[in-house]
């Protein structure tokens, strides 16, 4: 990506930012989950331990789905642009005949 792409909005910056945010979120969720698990271990509460493990797994799953959904929206936009370009090309070919 060069400066021209950045200023012309021909390419989106957000999908790259979503990938960076994904990894930052994964690290934060894992650290938070590990902190909760360690706290539960030291308090000796089995239910709290299980809740933290389940919360960690569900948090990771939810974060993945959320980021995939955001990237999916940009993928749909790209595909619609390709369809639009293809339709314009087919119309120009049929008009030439």
């Amino acid at each position: 990506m060069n400066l021209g792409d950045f200023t012309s909005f021909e390419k989106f910056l957000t999908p790259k930012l979503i990938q960076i945010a994904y990894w930052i979120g994964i690290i934060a969720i894992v650290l938070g989950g590990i902190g909760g698990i360690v706290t539960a271990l030291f308090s000796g509460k089995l239910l709290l331990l299980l809740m933290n493990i389940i919360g960690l797994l569900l948090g990771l799953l939810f974060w993945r789905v959320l980021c995939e959904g955001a990237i999916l929206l940009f993928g749909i936009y790209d595909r619609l642009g390709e369809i639009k370009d293809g339709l314009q090309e087919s119309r120009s070919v049929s008009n030439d005949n």
Side-chain angles (χ1 to χ4, degrees):
M1 180 176 284
N2 59 32
L3 185 61
D5 292 337
F6 182 74
T7 58
S8 68
F9 290 93
E10 291 295 320
K11 292 185 180 180
F12 286 112
L13 179 65
T14 309
K16 298 289 184 201
L17 292 176
I18 291 170
Q19 291 175 352
I20 293 169
Y22 171 74
W23 286 107
I24 292 171
I26 290 293
I27 292 168
I29 291 168
V30 167
L31 289 176
I34 290 172
I37 290 169
V38 168
T39 301
L41 285 172
F42 283 118
S43 69
K45 297 181 181 177
L46 182 61
L47 182 60
L48 185 60
L49 176 65
L50 291 174
M51 287 175 54
N52 277 300
I53 292 171
I54 291 170
L56 173 64
L57 296 176
L58 289 177
L60 290 171
L61 179 65
F62 177 75
W63 184 241
R64 174 69 187 218
V65 170
L66 187 68
C67 289
E68 281 183 5
I71 296 235
L72 179 66
L73 291 175
F74 286 96
I76 290 170
Y77 179 81
D78 288 340
R79 295 287 186 240
L80 287 174
E82 291 171 6
I83 291 169
K84 178 185 168 192
D85 293 342
L87 288 173
Q88 288 175 346
E89 289 176 11
S90 67
R91 285 183 186 155
S92 67
V93 169
S94 65
N95 289 339
D96 290 341
N97 291 332

Coordinates of all heavy atoms in Angstrom, one line a residue:
M1 N 0.9 -1.2 0.0 CA 0.0 0.0 0.0 C 0.9 1.2 0.0 O 1.8 1.4 0.8 CB -0.9 0.0 1.2 CG -1.8 1.2 1.3 SD -3.0 1.1 2.7 CE -4.2 0.0 2.1
N2 N 0.7 2.1 -1.0 CA 1.5 3.3 -1.0 C 0.6 4.5 -0.7 O -0.6 4.4 -0.4 CB 2.1 3.5 -2.4 CG 1.0 3.5 -3.5 OD1 -0.1 4.0 -3.3 ND2 1.4 3.0 -4.7
L3 N 1.2 5.7 -0.7 CA 0.5 6.9 -0.3 C -0.7 7.2 -1.2 O -1.7 7.7 -0.7 CB 1.5 8.1 -0.2 CG 0.9 9.4 0.3 CD1 0.4 9.2 1.7 CD2 1.9 10.5 0.2
G4 N -0.6 6.9 -2.4 CA -1.7 7.1 -3.4 C -2.9 6.3 -3.0 O -4.0 6.8 -3.1
D5 N -2.7 5.1 -2.6 CA -3.8 4.2 -2.2 C -4.5 4.8 -0.9 O -5.7 4.7 -0.8 CB -3.3 2.8 -1.9 CG -2.9 2.1 -3.2 OD1 -3.4 2.5 -4.3 OD2 -2.2 1.1 -3.1
F6 N -3.6 5.3 -0.1 CA -4.1 5.8 1.2 C -5.0 7.1 1.0 O -6.0 7.2 1.6 CB -2.9 6.1 2.1 CG -3.3 6.6 3.5 CD1 -3.9 5.8 4.4 CD2 -3.2 7.9 3.8 CE1 -4.3 6.2 5.7 CE2 -3.6 8.4 5.1 CZ -4.1 7.5 6.0
T7 N -4.6 7.9 0.1 CA -5.3 9.2 -0.1 C -6.5 9.1 -1.1 O -7.4 9.9 -1.0 CB -4.3 10.3 -0.6 OG1 -3.7 9.9 -1.8 CG2 -3.3 10.6 0.5
S8 N -6.5 8.1 -1.9 CA -7.5 8.0 -2.9 C -8.7 7.1 -2.5 O -9.7 7.0 -3.2 CB -6.9 7.4 -4.2 OG -6.6 6.1 -4.1
F9 N -8.5 6.4 -1.4 CA -9.5 5.4 -0.9 C -9.9 4.3 -1.9 O -10.9 3.8 -1.9 CB -10.8 6.2 -0.5 CG -10.7 7.0 0.7 CD1 -10.4 8.4 0.6 CD2 -10.9 6.5 2.0 CE1 -10.2 9.2 1.7 CE2 -10.7 7.3 3.1 CZ -10.4 8.6 3.0
E10 N -8.9 4.0 -2.7 CA -9.1 2.9 -3.7 C -9.0 1.5 -2.9 O -9.6 0.6 -3.3 CB -8.0 2.9 -4.8 CG -8.2 4.1 -5.7 CD -9.5 4.0 -6.5 OE1 -9.9 2.9 -6.9 OE2 -10.2 5.0 -6.7
K11 N -8.2 1.5 -1.9 CA -8.0 0.3 -1.1 C -8.4 0.6 0.3 O -8.0 1.7 0.8 CB -6.6 -0.3 -1.2 CG -6.2 -0.8 -2.5 CD -4.9 -1.5 -2.5 CE -4.5 -2.0 -3.9 NZ -3.2 -2.6 -3.9
F12 N -9.0 -0.3 1.0 CA -9.4 -0.1 2.4 C -8.2 -0.4 3.4 O -7.5 -1.3 3.2 CB -10.6 -0.9 2.8 CG -11.9 -0.4 2.2 CD1 -12.5 -1.2 1.2 CD2 -12.4 0.7 2.6 CE1 -13.7 -0.8 0.6 CE2 -13.6 1.2 2.0 CZ -14.3 0.4 1.0
L13 N -8.1 0.5 4.3 CA -7.1 0.3 5.4 C -7.7 -0.5 6.5 O -7.0 -1.2 7.2 CB -6.7 1.7 5.9 CG -5.7 1.8 7.0 CD1 -4.4 1.3 6.6 CD2 -5.6 3.2 7.5
T14 N -9.0 -0.5 6.7 CA -9.7 -1.1 7.8 C -9.4 -2.6 7.9 O -9.2 -3.1 9.0 CB -11.2 -0.8 7.8 OG1 -11.3 0.6 7.7 CG2 -11.8 -1.3 9.1
P15 N -9.5 -3.4 6.8 CA -9.2 -4.9 7.0 C -7.8 -5.2 7.7 O -7.7 -6.1 8.5 CB -9.3 -5.4 5.6 CG -10.2 -4.5 4.9 CD -9.9 -3.1 5.5
K16 N -6.8 -4.4 7.3 CA -5.5 -4.6 8.0 C -5.6 -4.2 9.5 O -5.0 -4.9 10.3 CB -4.5 -3.7 7.3 CG -4.2 -4.1 5.9 CD -3.6 -5.4 5.7 CE -3.3 -5.6 4.2 NZ -3.1 -7.0 3.9
L17 N -6.3 -3.1 9.8 CA -6.5 -2.7 11.1 C -7.3 -3.7 11.9 O -7.0 -3.9 13.1 CB -7.1 -1.3 11.2 CG -6.3 -0.2 10.7 CD1 -7.2 1.1 10.7 CD2 -5.0 0.0 11.5
I18 N -8.2 -4.4 11.3 CA -9.0 -5.4 12.0 C -8.1 -6.6 12.3 O -8.2 -7.1 13.4 CB -10.2 -5.8 11.1 CG1 -11.2 -4.7 11.0 CG2 -10.9 -7.1 11.7 CD1 -12.3 -5.0 10.0
Q19 N -7.2 -6.9 11.5 CA -6.3 -8.0 11.8 C -5.4 -7.7 12.9 O -5.1 -8.5 13.8 CB -5.5 -8.4 10.5 CG -6.3 -9.0 9.4 CD -5.5 -9.3 8.2 OE1 -4.4 -8.8 8.0 NE2 -6.1 -9.9 7.2
I20 N -4.9 -6.5 13.0 CA -4.1 -6.0 14.1 C -4.9 -6.0 15.4 O -4.4 -6.5 16.4 CB -3.5 -4.6 13.8 CG1 -2.5 -4.7 12.6 CG2 -2.8 -4.1 15.1 CD1 -2.1 -3.4 12.1
A21 N -6.1 -5.5 15.3 CA -7.0 -5.5 16.5 C -7.3 -6.9 16.9 O -7.5 -7.1 18.1 CB -8.3 -4.7 16.2
Y22 N -7.5 -7.8 16.0 CA -7.7 -9.2 16.3 C -6.7 -9.8 17.2 O -6.9 -10.4 18.3 CB -7.9 -10.0 15.1 CG -8.0 -11.5 15.3 CD1 -9.1 -12.1 15.8 CD2 -6.9 -12.3 15.1 CE1 -9.2 -13.4 16.1 CE2 -6.9 -13.7 15.3 CZ -8.1 -14.2 15.8 OH -8.2 -15.6 16.1
W23 N -5.4 -9.6 16.8 CA -4.3 -10.1 17.6 C -4.2 -9.4 19.0 O -3.9 -10.1 20.0 CB -3.0 -10.1 16.8 CG -3.0 -11.2 15.8 CD1 -3.2 -11.0 14.4 CD2 -3.0 -12.6 16.0 NE1 -3.2 -12.2 13.8 CE2 -3.1 -13.2 14.7 CE3 -2.9 -13.4 17.1 CZ2 -3.1 -14.6 14.6 CZ3 -2.9 -14.8 17.0 CH2 -3.0 -15.3 15.7
I24 N -4.4 -8.1 19.0 CA -4.3 -7.4 20.3 C -5.5 -7.9 21.2 O -5.3 -8.2 22.4 CB -4.4 -5.9 20.0 CG1 -3.2 -5.4 19.4 CG2 -4.7 -5.2 21.4 CD1 -3.2 -4.0 18.9
G25 N -6.6 -8.1 20.6 CA -7.8 -8.7 21.4 C -7.5 -10.1 21.9 O -7.9 -10.4 23.0
I26 N -6.9 -10.9 21.1 CA -6.6 -12.3 21.5 C -5.6 -12.2 22.7 O -5.9 -13.0 23.7 CB -5.9 -13.1 20.3 CG1 -7.0 -13.4 19.2 CG2 -5.3 -14.4 20.8 CD1 -8.1 -14.3 19.6
I27 N -4.6 -11.4 22.6 CA -3.7 -11.3 23.7 C -4.4 -10.8 25.0 O -4.2 -11.4 26.1 CB -2.5 -10.4 23.3 CG1 -1.7 -11.0 22.2 CG2 -1.7 -10.0 24.5 CD1 -0.7 -10.1 21.6
A28 N -5.2 -9.8 24.8 CA -6.0 -9.3 26.0 C -6.9 -10.3 26.6 O -7.0 -10.4 27.8 CB -6.7 -8.0 25.6
I29 N -7.6 -11.0 25.8 CA -8.5 -12.0 26.2 C -7.8 -13.2 27.0 O -8.2 -13.6 28.0 CB -9.4 -12.6 25.1 CG1 -10.4 -11.5 24.6 CG2 -10.2 -13.8 25.5 CD1 -11.0 -11.9 23.3
V30 N -6.7 -13.6 26.4 CA -5.9 -14.7 27.0 C -5.3 -14.2 28.3 O -5.4 -15.0 29.3 CB -4.8 -15.2 26.0 CG1 -3.8 -16.1 26.7 CG2 -5.5 -16.0 24.9
L31 N -4.8 -13.0 28.3 CA -4.2 -12.5 29.6 C -5.3 -12.4 30.7 O -5.0 -12.7 31.8 CB -3.4 -11.2 29.4 CG -2.1 -11.3 28.6 CD1 -1.6 -9.9 28.4 CD2 -1.1 -12.2 29.3
G32 N -6.4 -11.8 30.3 CA -7.5 -11.7 31.2 C -8.0 -13.1 31.7 O -8.3 -13.2 32.9
G33 N -8.1 -14.0 30.8 CA -8.5 -15.3 31.2 C -7.6 -16.0 32.1 O -8.0 -16.7 33.1
I34 N -6.3 -15.9 31.8 CA -5.3 -16.5 32.6 C -5.3 -15.9 34.0 O -5.2 -16.5 35.0 CB -3.9 -16.4 32.0 CG1 -3.8 -17.4 30.8 CG2 -2.8 -16.7 33.0 CD1 -2.5 -17.2 30.0
G35 N -5.5 -14.5 34.1 CA -5.6 -13.8 35.3 C -6.7 -14.3 36.2 O -6.6 -14.6 37.4
G36 N -7.9 -14.5 35.5 CA -9.1 -15.1 36.2 C -8.9 -16.5 36.7 O -9.3 -16.8 37.8
I37 N -8.2 -17.3 35.8 CA -8.0 -18.7 36.2 C -7.0 -18.7 37.4 O -7.2 -19.5 38.4 CB -7.4 -19.5 35.0 CG1 -8.5 -19.6 34.0 CG2 -6.8 -20.8 35.4 CD1 -8.1 -20.2 32.6
V38 N -6.0 -17.9 37.4 CA -5.0 -17.9 38.5 C -5.7 -17.4 39.8 O -5.5 -18.0 40.9 CB -3.8 -17.0 38.2 CG1 -2.9 -16.8 39.4 CG2 -3.0 -17.7 37.1
T39 N -6.5 -16.4 39.7 CA -7.3 -15.9 40.8 C -8.2 -17.0 41.4 O -8.3 -17.2 42.6 CB -8.1 -14.7 40.4 OG1 -7.2 -13.7 40.0 CG2 -8.9 -14.2 41.6
A40 N -8.9 -17.7 40.5 CA -9.7 -18.8 40.9 C -9.0 -19.9 41.6 O -9.4 -20.5 42.6 CB -10.5 -19.3 39.7
L41 N -7.8 -20.2 41.1 CA -7.0 -21.3 41.7 C -6.5 -20.9 43.1 O -6.5 -21.7 44.0 CB -5.7 -21.6 40.8 CG -6.0 -22.4 39.5 CD1 -4.7 -22.4 38.6 CD2 -6.5 -23.8 39.8
F42 N -6.1 -19.7 43.2 CA -5.7 -19.2 44.6 C -6.8 -19.1 45.6 O -6.6 -19.2 46.8 CB -4.9 -17.9 44.5 CG -3.5 -18.1 44.0 CD1 -3.0 -17.5 42.8 CD2 -2.6 -18.9 44.7 CE1 -1.7 -17.7 42.4 CE2 -1.3 -19.1 44.3 CZ -0.9 -18.5 43.1
S43 N -8.0 -18.8 45.0 CA -9.2 -18.7 46.0 C -9.7 -20.1 46.3 O -10.5 -20.2 47.2 CB -10.2 -17.8 45.4 OG -10.9 -18.4 44.3
G44 N -9.4 -21.1 45.5 CA -9.8 -22.5 45.7 C -11.3 -22.7 45.4 O -11.9 -23.7 45.8
K45 N -11.9 -21.9 44.5 CA -13.3 -22.0 44.1 C -13.3 -22.7 42.8 O -13.0 -22.1 41.7 CB -13.9 -20.7 44.1 CG -14.0 -20.0 45.5 CD -14.7 -18.7 45.4 CE -14.7 -18.1 46.8 NZ -15.3 -16.8 46.8
L46 N -13.8 -23.9 42.7 CA -13.9 -24.7 41.5 C -14.9 -24.1 40.5 O -14.6 -24.0 39.3 CB -14.3 -26.1 41.8 CG -14.3 -27.1 40.6 CD1 -13.0 -27.2 40.0 CD2 -14.8 -28.4 41.1
L47 N -16.0 -23.6 41.0 CA -17.0 -23.0 40.1 C -16.4 -21.8 39.4 O -16.6 -21.6 38.2 CB -18.3 -22.7 40.8 CG -19.4 -22.1 40.0 CD1 -19.8 -23.1 38.9 CD2 -20.6 -21.8 40.9
L48 N -15.7 -21.0 40.1 CA -15.1 -19.8 39.6 C -14.0 -20.2 38.5 O -13.9 -19.5 37.5 CB -14.5 -18.9 40.7 CG -13.9 -17.6 40.3 CD1 -14.9 -16.7 39.6 CD2 -13.2 -16.9 41.4
L49 N -13.3 -21.2 38.8 CA -12.3 -21.7 37.8 C -13.0 -22.1 36.5 O -12.5 -21.8 35.4 CB -11.5 -22.8 38.5 CG -10.5 -23.5 37.5 CD1 -9.4 -22.6 37.1 CD2 -9.9 -24.8 38.2
L50 N -14.0 -22.9 36.7 CA -14.8 -23.4 35.5 C -15.4 -22.2 34.7 O -15.3 -22.2 33.4 CB -15.8 -24.4 35.9 CG -15.3 -25.8 36.4 CD1 -16.5 -26.6 36.9 CD2 -14.5 -26.5 35.3
M51 N -15.9 -21.3 35.4 CA -16.5 -20.1 34.7 C -15.4 -19.3 34.0 O -15.7 -18.8 32.9 CB -17.2 -19.2 35.8 CG -18.5 -19.8 36.3 SD -19.3 -18.9 37.6 CE -19.4 -17.3 36.9
N52 N -14.3 -19.2 34.5 CA -13.2 -18.5 33.9 C -12.7 -19.2 32.7 O -12.4 -18.6 31.6 CB -12.0 -18.2 34.9 CG -12.3 -17.0 35.7 OD1 -12.4 -15.9 35.2 ND2 -12.3 -17.2 37.0
I53 N -12.6 -20.5 32.7 CA -12.1 -21.3 31.6 C -13.2 -21.2 30.5 O -12.8 -21.0 29.3 CB -11.9 -22.8 32.0 CG1 -10.7 -22.9 32.9 CG2 -11.7 -23.7 30.7 CD1 -10.5 -24.2 33.5
I54 N -14.4 -21.4 30.8 CA -15.5 -21.3 29.8 C -15.6 -19.8 29.2 O -15.7 -19.6 28.0 CB -16.9 -21.7 30.4 CG1 -16.9 -23.2 30.7 CG2 -18.0 -21.3 29.5 CD1 -18.0 -23.7 31.5
G55 N -15.4 -18.8 30.1 CA -15.4 -17.5 29.6 C -14.2 -17.2 28.7 O -14.4 -16.5 27.7
L56 N -13.1 -17.7 29.0 CA -11.9 -17.6 28.1 C -12.2 -18.2 26.7 O -12.0 -17.5 25.7 CB -10.7 -18.3 28.7 CG -9.4 -18.3 27.9 CD1 -8.9 -17.0 27.5 CD2 -8.4 -19.2 28.6
L57 N -12.7 -19.4 26.7 CA -13.0 -20.0 25.4 C -14.1 -19.3 24.6 O -14.0 -19.1 23.4 CB -13.4 -21.5 25.7 CG -12.3 -22.4 26.3 CD1 -12.8 -23.8 26.5 CD2 -11.1 -22.4 25.4
L58 N -15.2 -18.9 25.3 CA -16.3 -18.2 24.7 C -15.8 -16.8 24.2 O -16.2 -16.3 23.2 CB -17.5 -18.1 25.6 CG -18.2 -19.4 25.8 CD1 -19.4 -19.2 26.8 CD2 -18.7 -20.0 24.5
G59 N -15.0 -16.2 25.0 CA -14.4 -14.9 24.6 C -13.6 -14.9 23.4 O -13.7 -14.1 22.5
L60 N -12.7 -15.9 23.3 CA -11.9 -16.1 22.1 C -12.8 -16.4 20.9 O -12.6 -15.9 19.8 CB -10.9 -17.3 22.3 CG -9.8 -17.0 23.3 CD1 -9.0 -18.3 23.5 CD2 -8.9 -15.9 22.7
L61 N -13.8 -17.3 21.0 CA -14.7 -17.6 19.9 C -15.5 -16.4 19.5 O -15.6 -16.1 18.3 CB -15.7 -18.7 20.4 CG -16.7 -19.2 19.3 CD1 -16.0 -19.8 18.1 CD2 -17.7 -20.1 20.0
F62 N -16.1 -15.6 20.4 CA -16.8 -14.4 20.1 C -16.0 -13.4 19.4 O -16.4 -12.8 18.4 CB -17.5 -13.8 21.4 CG -18.2 -12.6 21.1 CD1 -19.5 -12.6 20.5 CD2 -17.6 -11.3 21.5 CE1 -20.1 -11.4 20.3 CE2 -18.3 -10.2 21.2 CZ -19.6 -10.2 20.6
W63 N -14.8 -13.2 19.9 CA -13.9 -12.2 19.3 C -13.5 -12.6 17.8 O -13.5 -11.8 16.9 CB -12.6 -12.0 20.1 CG -11.7 -11.0 19.6 CD1 -10.4 -11.2 19.2 CD2 -12.0 -9.6 19.5 NE1 -9.9 -10.0 18.8 CE2 -10.8 -9.0 19.0 CE3 -13.1 -8.8 19.7 CZ2 -10.7 -7.6 18.7 CZ3 -13.0 -7.4 19.4 CH2 -11.8 -6.9 18.9
R64 N -13.3 -13.9 17.6 CA -13.0 -14.4 16.3 C -14.2 -14.2 15.3 O -14.0 -13.7 14.2 CB -12.7 -15.9 16.3 CG -12.5 -16.6 15.0 CD -11.2 -16.1 14.3 NE -11.1 -16.6 13.0 CZ -10.0 -17.0 12.4 NH1 -8.9 -16.9 13.1 NH2 -10.0 -17.5 11.2
V65 N -15.4 -14.5 15.8 CA -16.6 -14.3 15.0 C -16.8 -12.9 14.7 O -17.2 -12.5 13.5 CB -17.8 -15.0 15.6 CG1 -19.1 -14.6 15.0 CG2 -17.7 -16.5 15.7
L66 N -16.6 -12.0 15.6 CA -16.8 -10.6 15.4 C -15.9 -10.0 14.4 O -16.3 -9.3 13.5 CB -16.6 -9.8 16.8 CG -17.0 -8.4 16.8 CD1 -18.5 -8.1 16.6 CD2 -16.5 -7.8 18.1
C67 N -14.6 -10.4 14.5 CA -13.6 -9.9 13.5 C -13.9 -10.5 12.1 O -13.7 -9.8 11.1 CB -12.2 -10.2 14.0 SG -11.7 -9.2 15.4
E68 N -14.2 -11.8 12.1 CA -14.6 -12.4 10.8 C -15.7 -11.7 10.1 O -15.8 -11.5 8.9 CB -14.9 -13.9 10.9 CG -13.6 -14.7 11.1 CD -14.0 -16.2 11.2 OE1 -15.2 -16.6 11.0 OE2 -13.0 -17.0 11.4
G69 N -16.7 -11.3 10.9 CA -17.9 -10.6 10.4 C -17.5 -9.3 9.8 O -18.0 -8.9 8.7
A70 N -16.6 -8.5 10.5 CA -16.2 -7.2 10.0 C -15.4 -7.4 8.7 O -15.6 -6.7 7.7 CB -15.3 -6.5 11.0
I71 N -14.5 -8.4 8.6 CA -13.8 -8.6 7.4 C -14.7 -9.1 6.3 O -14.5 -8.8 5.1 CB -12.6 -9.7 7.6 CG1 -11.7 -9.1 8.6 CG2 -12.0 -10.1 6.4 CD1 -10.2 -9.0 8.3
L72 N -15.7 -9.9 6.6 CA -16.7 -10.4 5.6 C -17.4 -9.2 5.0 O -17.6 -9.3 3.7 CB -17.7 -11.3 6.3 CG -18.8 -11.9 5.4 CD1 -18.2 -12.8 4.4 CD2 -19.8 -12.6 6.3
L73 N -17.7 -8.2 5.7 CA -18.4 -7.0 5.1 C -17.5 -6.4 4.0 O -18.0 -6.0 2.9 CB -18.7 -6.0 6.2 CG -19.8 -6.4 7.1 CD1 -20.0 -5.3 8.2 CD2 -21.1 -6.6 6.4
F74 N -16.2 -6.3 4.3 CA -15.3 -5.7 3.3 C -15.2 -6.7 2.1 O -15.0 -6.3 0.9 CB -14.0 -5.4 3.9 CG -14.0 -4.2 4.7 CD1 -14.2 -4.3 6.1 CD2 -13.9 -2.9 4.2 CE1 -14.3 -3.2 6.9 CE2 -14.0 -1.8 5.0 CZ -14.2 -1.9 6.3
G75 N -15.2 -8.0 2.3 CA -15.1 -9.0 1.2 C -16.4 -8.9 0.4 O -16.3 -9.0 -0.9
I76 N -17.5 -8.7 1.0 CA -18.8 -8.6 0.2 C -18.7 -7.3 -0.7 O -19.1 -7.3 -1.8 CB -20.0 -8.5 1.2 CG1 -20.2 -9.9 1.8 CG2 -21.2 -8.0 0.4 CD1 -21.3 -9.9 2.9
Y77 N -18.2 -6.2 -0.1 CA -18.1 -5.0 -0.9 C -17.2 -5.2 -2.1 O -17.5 -4.7 -3.2 CB -17.5 -3.9 0.0 CG -17.3 -2.6 -0.7 CD1 -18.4 -1.7 -0.9 CD2 -16.1 -2.2 -1.2 CE1 -18.2 -0.5 -1.6 CE2 -15.9 -1.0 -1.8 CZ -17.0 -0.2 -2.0 OH -16.8 1.0 -2.7
D78 N -16.0 -5.9 -1.9 CA -15.1 -6.1 -3.0 C -15.8 -7.0 -4.1 O -15.6 -6.7 -5.3 CB -13.9 -6.8 -2.5 CG -12.9 -5.9 -1.7 OD1 -13.1 -4.7 -1.8 OD2 -12.1 -6.5 -0.9
R79 N -16.5 -8.0 -3.7 CA -17.2 -8.9 -4.6 C -18.3 -8.1 -5.4 O -18.4 -8.3 -6.6 CB -17.8 -10.1 -3.9 CG -16.8 -11.0 -3.3 CD -16.1 -11.8 -4.4 NE -15.3 -12.8 -3.7 CZ -14.0 -12.9 -3.8 NH1 -13.3 -12.0 -4.5 NH2 -13.3 -13.8 -3.2
L80 N -19.0 -7.3 -4.7 CA -20.0 -6.5 -5.4 C -19.4 -5.5 -6.4 O -19.9 -5.3 -7.5 CB -20.9 -5.7 -4.4 CG -21.8 -6.5 -3.6 CD1 -22.5 -5.6 -2.5 CD2 -22.9 -7.1 -4.5
G81 N -18.2 -5.0 -6.1 CA -17.5 -4.2 -7.1 C -17.1 -5.0 -8.3 O -17.2 -4.5 -9.4
E82 N -16.6 -6.2 -8.1 CA -16.3 -7.1 -9.2 C -17.5 -7.4 -10.1 O -17.4 -7.4 -11.3 CB -15.6 -8.4 -8.7 CG -14.3 -8.2 -8.0 CD -13.8 -9.4 -7.4 OE1 -14.4 -10.5 -7.5 OE2 -12.7 -9.4 -6.7
I83 N -18.6 -7.7 -9.4 CA -19.9 -7.9 -10.2 C -20.3 -6.7 -11.0 O -20.6 -6.8 -12.1 CB -21.0 -8.4 -9.2 CG1 -20.7 -9.7 -8.6 CG2 -22.3 -8.4 -9.9 CD1 -21.6 -10.2 -7.5
K84 N -20.2 -5.5 -10.4 CA -20.5 -4.3 -11.0 C -19.6 -4.1 -12.3 O -20.1 -3.8 -13.3 CB -20.4 -3.1 -10.1 CG -20.7 -1.8 -10.7 CD -20.4 -0.7 -9.7 CE -20.4 0.7 -10.4 NZ -19.9 1.7 -9.6
D85 N -18.3 -4.3 -12.1 CA -17.4 -4.1 -13.2 C -17.7 -5.1 -14.3 O -17.7 -4.8 -15.5 CB -16.0 -4.3 -12.7 CG -15.5 -3.2 -11.8 OD1 -16.2 -2.1 -11.8 OD2 -14.5 -3.3 -11.1
G86 N -18.0 -6.4 -13.9 CA -18.4 -7.4 -14.9 C -19.6 -7.0 -15.7 O -19.7 -7.2 -16.9
L87 N -20.6 -6.5 -15.0 CA -21.9 -6.1 -15.7 C -21.6 -5.0 -16.6 O -22.2 -4.9 -17.7 CB -22.9 -5.8 -14.7 CG -23.5 -6.9 -13.9 CD1 -24.5 -6.4 -12.8 CD2 -24.3 -7.9 -14.8
Q88 N -20.8 -4.0 -16.2 CA -20.5 -2.9 -17.1 C -19.8 -3.3 -18.3 O -20.0 -2.8 -19.4 CB -19.7 -1.8 -16.3 CG -20.5 -1.1 -15.3 CD -19.7 -0.1 -14.5 OE1 -18.4 -0.2 -14.5 NE2 -20.4 0.8 -13.8
E89 N -18.8 -4.3 -18.2 CA -18.1 -4.8 -19.3 C -19.0 -5.5 -20.3 O -18.9 -5.4 -21.5 CB -17.0 -5.7 -18.9 CG -15.8 -5.0 -18.2 CD -14.8 -6.0 -17.7 OE1 -14.8 -7.2 -18.0 OE2 -13.9 -5.5 -16.9
S90 N -19.9 -6.3 -19.7 CA -20.8 -7.1 -20.6 C -21.8 -6.2 -21.3 O -22.2 -6.4 -22.5 CB -21.6 -8.2 -19.8 OG -22.5 -7.6 -18.9
R91 N -22.2 -5.1 -20.7 CA -23.1 -4.1 -21.3 C -22.4 -3.4 -22.4 O -23.0 -3.1 -23.5 CB -23.6 -3.1 -20.3 CG -24.7 -3.7 -19.4 CD -25.2 -2.6 -18.5 NE -26.1 -3.2 -17.5 CZ -26.4 -2.7 -16.3 NH1 -25.8 -1.6 -15.9 NH2 -27.3 -3.3 -15.5
S92 N -21.1 -3.0 -22.2 CA -20.4 -2.3 -23.3 C -20.1 -3.2 -24.5 O -20.1 -2.8 -25.6 CB -19.1 -1.8 -22.7 OG -18.2 -2.8 -22.4
V93 N -19.9 -4.5 -24.2 CA -19.7 -5.5 -25.3 C -21.0 -5.6 -26.1 O -21.0 -5.7 -27.3 CB -19.2 -6.8 -24.8 CG1 -19.2 -7.9 -25.8 CG2 -17.8 -6.7 -24.2
S94 N -22.1 -5.7 -25.4 CA -23.4 -5.9 -26.1 C -23.8 -4.7 -26.8 O -24.5 -4.7 -27.9 CB -24.5 -6.4 -25.1 OG -24.7 -5.4 -24.2
N95 N -23.4 -3.5 -26.4 CA -23.7 -2.2 -27.0 C -22.9 -2.0 -28.3 O -23.3 -1.4 -29.2 CB -23.6 -1.0 -26.1 CG -24.7 -1.0 -25.1 OD1 -25.7 -1.6 -25.2 ND2 -24.4 -0.3 -24.0
D96 N -21.7 -2.6 -28.3 CA -20.8 -2.5 -29.4 C -21.3 -3.3 -30.6 O -21.0 -3.0 -31.8 CB -19.4 -2.9 -29.1 CG -18.7 -2.0 -28.1 OD1 -19.2 -0.8 -28.1 OD2 -17.7 -2.4 -27.5
N97 N -22.1 -4.3 -30.3 CA -22.6 -5.2 -31.4 C -23.8 -4.6 -32.1 O -24.5 -4.1 -32.5 CB -23.0 -6.6 -30.9 CG -21.7 -7.3 -30.4 OD1 -20.7 -7.1 -31.0 ND2 -21.9 -8.2 -29.5

